[in-house]
Amino acid sequence: MTLKDNYNRDINYVRIAVTDRCNLRCFYCMPEQGIVYEPKDHLLSYEEIIRLLTILGQLGFTKVRFTGGEPFLRKDFTQLIEKTAALSAFENIHITTNGTLVQNHIPLLKKLGITKLNLSLDTLNEERFKKITRRDDFSKVWDTLQVLIKENFSVKVNAVAMNGINTEDIIPMAELAREYPIHVRFIEEMPFNGGAKENQKIFSSKEILSTLHKHFPDLKVLSGKHGDTATEYTAAHFIGKIGIIPAFSRTFCTTCNRLRITANGEIKTCLYDGGVFSMRDFLRSGATDLEVKEKFIELIRLKPKDGFEAEKFTTQSVIRNESMSSIGG
Ligand code: SAM
Ligand code: SF4
């Protein structure tokens, strides 16, 4: 059984931000000085996360993604993934990471069968990496990518495409999918940057596609899986794929299958909804498993039709001041 919302969408994928802390300072995600981090006891504990996952498993959820902040920065994160792997419901455990702290954990990830990683990398140029992330860690991330490929991980490289910032990286990054069996996905920038900047000029998915088309005239669209946010493409002699994620244009909402839990335990039924319920406070007030289950069912039913409808009920200042580091992407 899978839960359905009021728009008949199957909801079976949960994304959990395990921390809002990060060792990078990507300028589209947070200001240079960072964001005001949640006190540690405001984060969901691992016991609370496992309890929620157990309940979601009973509600038909089969996929979980751990994200952040940087998930590998949270103490004993690997214990959380070990415990999650022991839950039978989740056949798909995925992680999104900036790739700076993963390498030591690769053997354990393999042992647990967690081989699907999203690695964020916006440029292949060391200087631009430094400008975008405000840290000097390009070679660490690049080495991690190479090791993951060598170890046969299924890797999706996520790049936020920003006009005039990394436009010249689009083709070299897409070329990675010719050389390696990876997905290289270009994401439209979204406004969740912890108040770091206003008036973004979005480099739209249409512009990304036209940039790619000029270089790869034989670019061919592939038929996607249900719930995919990326439209995927291939071109001659590619062993990997290229994807475009219209995260700002929001053209994928009709097949959205996801629920988000932010670092402080807030439920988001849509990325653009500003948070609809504090599951952390509910758990800590003594809610029983049955009450939590009923609450999830109620919240999922009320999932908005799309990101535009969600945004209507959220003030712009809430959206602008949220950081993707607390939401989890
Ligand atoms: N720290 C990890 C990382 O960077 O992969 C996980 C958390 S990060 C918030 C998750 C994803 O959100 C990354 O791929 C990042 O590029 C993306 N992201 C962050 N801020 C964004 C924004 N304003 N617009 C679009 N994507 C964003
Ligand atoms: Fe950190 Fe990821 Fe945000 Fe960059 S995008 S600052 S790596 S949480």
Side-chain angles (χ1 to χ4, degrees), residues 173-182 184 238-242:
M173 292 201 69
E175 287 282 2
L176 291 177
R178 192 200 298 273
E179 196 176 340
Y180 302 110
I182 60 175
V184 178
F238 268 55
I239 50 175
K241 294 179 198 167
I242 304 174

Side-chain angles (χ1 to χ4, degrees), residues 15 22 28-29 67-71 96-98 118-120 122 158 160 187-193 200 247 324-325 328-329:
R15 300 173 61 102
C22 193
Y28 48 74
C29 181
T67 167
E70 176 45 43
T96 299
T97 173
N98 63 30
N118 285 10
L119 187 81
S120 303
D122 307 310
N158 284 342
V160 180
I187 311 175
E188 283 177 349
E189 186 178 359
M190 291 177 271
F192 309 105
N193 53 45
Q200 288 160 296
M324 209 54 122
S325 190

Side-chain angles (χ1 to χ4, degrees), residues 50 76 209:
I50 291 295
D76 299 328
L209 182 59

Side-chain angles (χ1 to χ4, degrees), residues 66-310:
F66 293 119
T67 167
E70 176 45 43
F72 286 93
L73 203 57
R74 181 155 171 187
K75 189 164 176 275
D76 299 328
F77 172 57
T78 50
Q79 287 182 11
L80 175 67
I81 51 183
E82 280 190 85
K83 285 190 183 133
T84 306
L87 300 174
S88 55
F90 289 89
E91 59 211 47
N92 291 301
I93 302 172
H94 300 226
I95 302 171
T96 299
T97 173
N98 63 30
T100 55
L101 305 167
V102 187
Q103 281 216 33
N104 293 342
H105 303 296
I106 288 176
L108 176 68
L109 293 174
K110 277 191 95 167
K111 191 175 125 208
L112 295 172
I114 299 171
T115 53
K116 291 182 176 156
L117 249 63
N118 285 10
L119 187 81
S120 303
L121 179 64
D122 307 310
T123 175
L124 299 183
N125 176 284
E126 200 158 356
E127 277 312 303
R128 277 198 291 281
F129 183 95
K130 222 190 281 179
K131 277 207 183 110
I132 293 171
T133 66
R134 304 183 179 111
R135 296 291 184 272
D136 195 5
D137 280 330
F138 174 77
S139 54
K140 231 186 248 174
V141 181
W142 179 251
D143 289 351
T144 300
L145 175 61
Q146 295 298 322
V147 174
L148 291 172
I149 293 169
K150 195 164 138 260
E151 295 289 337
N152 295 319
F153 276 69
S154 163
V155 182
K156 291 180 180 166
V157 171
N158 284 342
V160 180
M162 296 161 288
N163 204 5
I165 307 286
N166 62 351
T167 18
E168 58 204 290
D169 286 294
I170 290 183
I171 301 306
M173 292 201 69
E175 287 282 2
L176 291 177
R178 192 200 298 273
E179 196 176 340
Y180 302 110
I182 60 175
H183 293 200
V184 178
R185 306 169 342 146
F186 299 100
I187 311 175
E188 283 177 349
E189 186 178 359
M190 291 177 271
F192 309 105
N193 53 45
K197 55 185 182 136
E198 289 185 27
N199 303 324
Q200 288 160 296
K201 165 84 181 74
I202 304 297
F203 194 53
S204 71
S205 46
K206 282 190 185 140
E207 290 168 293
I208 300 169
L209 182 59
S210 113
T211 308
L212 289 166
H213 252 309
K214 277 185 204 138
H215 190 82
F216 306 109
D218 61 338
L219 204 64
K220 203 172 73 198
V221 69
L222 297 165
S223 55
K225 282 197 312 295
H226 188 80
D228 280 348
T229 49
T231 307
E232 292 185 325
Y233 301 85
T234 186
H237 312 300
F238 268 55
I239 50 175
K241 294 179 198 167
I242 304 174
I244 300 179
I245 305 185
F248 186 75
S249 311
R250 288 159 258 181
T251 46
F252 45 64
C253 300
T254 48
T255 60
C256 181
N257 61 350
R258 54 196 67 193
L259 179 78
R260 288 181 168 78
I261 306 181
T262 67
N264 64 5
E266 192 76 13
I267 301 293
K268 269 177 172 280
T269 52
C270 172
L271 188 49
Y272 287 83
D273 70 13
V276 292
F277 185 75
S278 175
M279 193 51 88
R280 178 199 65 201
D281 290 352
F282 195 48
L283 293 180
R284 292 181 190 177
S285 72
T288 63
D289 285 1
L290 182 62
E291 285 166 334
V292 173
K293 209 181 257 186
E294 283 170 351
K295 184 51 84 176
F296 272 130
I297 294 171
E298 175 194 327
L299 295 170
I300 285 168
R301 282 222 184 95
L302 296 175
K303 184 172 160 72
K305 179 165 148 269
D306 55 36
F308 296 101
E309 184 182 289

